[in-house]
Amino acid sequence: MKREFAVIGLGRFGGSICRELSAEGMDVLAIDIHEDKVNEFKNIAAHAVIADTTDENVLKELGIRNIDHVIVAIGDNIQASILTTLMLKELGINKITVKAQNDYHEKVLNKIGADQVVHPERDMGKRIAHSIISTNILDHLELSDDHSIVEVKAGEKMHGRTLLKLDIRAQFGCNVVAIKEANENGINVSPMADQILHREDILIVIGADKDISRFEKQLV
Ligand code: ADP
């Protein structure tokens, strides 16, 4: 069977990915330079090995070429993260996801061809900051540098009014793409303009950050 995933670096982030993928029934090769980390994952991942992935021969011996998607979750050692990514790229791995420690690291990873660069601490910090600013902003997902999707709770200003009346698209340039109605289980993914909103309904809104920000200030 072709192995699906390898996770390099079994710290908090890599470890969490490894646990989730394994719990979903995926075949995961878990790799760390430290024996204690590897032992921790012996009964969790399909395979767990001790290896220093900055050594090209070690990578080859692991048969990493046969793995479709490799996640590099090496923490503080930025040099090891970059070197590992570079070699995975040279070995022709189909998909490489790498955790970046800072913006400089992210820039280098993009330059050397990492397919996906994630920045979990920064992104989670941003999401939490948005929910701290307003208790009605439940979640915030960045789509690009200047576009996002936000999840907001309808308050008094929206209660009893329709999307048409609120005129969100024309007034703020944002689109309400879905509504989770209070007291309803489902989610309405094609809300009509004449739908009446109620306090506690949850709106999923997409738009440019500056437009979302105006929308939040005036209506949420
Ligand atoms: P986190 O912030 O996700 O907890 P850590 O820095 O604690 O990140 O974890 C990174 C992991 O990567 C550690 O368990 C470390 O042993 C491992 N690691 C570091 N360098 C290498 C390497 N060259 N090869 C394999 N694993 C490595």
Side-chain angles (χ1 to χ4, degrees):
M1 179 181 159
K2 185 173 160 58
R3 281 191 193 150
E4 291 162 316
F5 298 98
V7 177
I8 301 174
L10 303 170
R12 285 161 304 173
F13 181 69
S16 167
I17 292 195
C18 190
R19 280 176 211 279
E20 284 301 311
L21 290 175
S22 301
E24 290 291 326
M26 304 291 165
D27 187 285
V28 182
L29 169 62
I31 305 165
D32 201 287
I33 201 167
H34 288 121
E35 188 177 359
D36 53 340
K37 288 280 171 197
V38 174
N39 287 338
E40 214 183 294
F41 284 85
K42 280 244 154 79
N43 297 322
I44 296 167
H47 320 266
V49 294
I50 307 165
D52 177 355
T53 57
T54 58
D55 184 331
E56 191 173 3
N57 292 325
V58 169
L59 273 184
K60 284 182 182 159
E61 278 164 25
L62 286 173
I64 208 109
R65 276 205 198 108
N66 297 320
I67 292 171
D68 192 51
H69 189 164
V70 180
I71 296 101
V72 182
I74 294 175
D76 294 338
N77 191 342
I78 292 179
Q79 187 175 322
S81 159
I82 292 171
L83 199 55
T84 299
T85 306
L86 194 61
M87 286 188 302
L88 292 171
K89 194 74 197 161
E90 280 174 4
L91 289 169
I93 302 298
N94 186 32
K95 182 145 194 218
I96 308 169
T97 297
V98 195
K99 175 191 160 174
Q101 287 293 97
N102 54 46
D103 291 345
Y104 164 73
H105 187 194
E106 182 172 4
K107 212 168 178 175
V108 175
L109 292 170
N110 282 322
K111 200 90 184 163
I112 61 177
D115 300 285
Q116 184 185 26
V117 180
V118 292
H119 213 139
E121 285 95 349
R122 184 195 63 188
D123 294 347
M124 193 46 96
K126 280 189 186 178
R127 289 171 76 168
I128 292 174
H130 279 268
S131 66
I132 289 171
I133 292 168
S134 164
T135 47
N136 284 333
I137 296 170
L138 306 176
D139 207 351
H140 176 272
L141 181 68
E142 206 173 65
L143 296 176
S144 71
D145 282 349
D146 45 20
H147 285 79
S148 304
I149 291 183
V150 292
E151 205 178 64
V152 299
K153 206 192 280 177
E156 290 309 318
K157 288 180 190 165
M158 295 191 207
H159 181 70
R161 301 171 81 182
T162 61
L163 288 176
L164 187 68
K165 180 91 181 154
L166 291 167
D167 206 14
I168 296 171
R169 192 179 296 155
Q171 294 295 322
F172 304 104
C174 310
N175 274 299
V176 177
V177 291
I179 299 176
K180 284 189 223 169
E181 288 171 50
N183 310 322
E184 296 280 334
N185 282 331
I187 176 161
N188 178 0
V189 291
S190 53
M192 295 296 184
D194 59 358
Q195 177 163 348
I196 297 170
L197 300 177
H198 300 96
R199 64 177 79 79
E200 303 291 312
D201 281 353
I202 293 169
L203 279 63
I204 318 291
V205 182
I206 186 167
D209 291 338
K210 62 175 177 27
D211 295 331
I212 291 177
S213 174
R214 278 194 305 127
F215 165 72
E216 286 174 5
K217 285 196 184 102
Q218 294 182 38
L219 272 186
V220 178

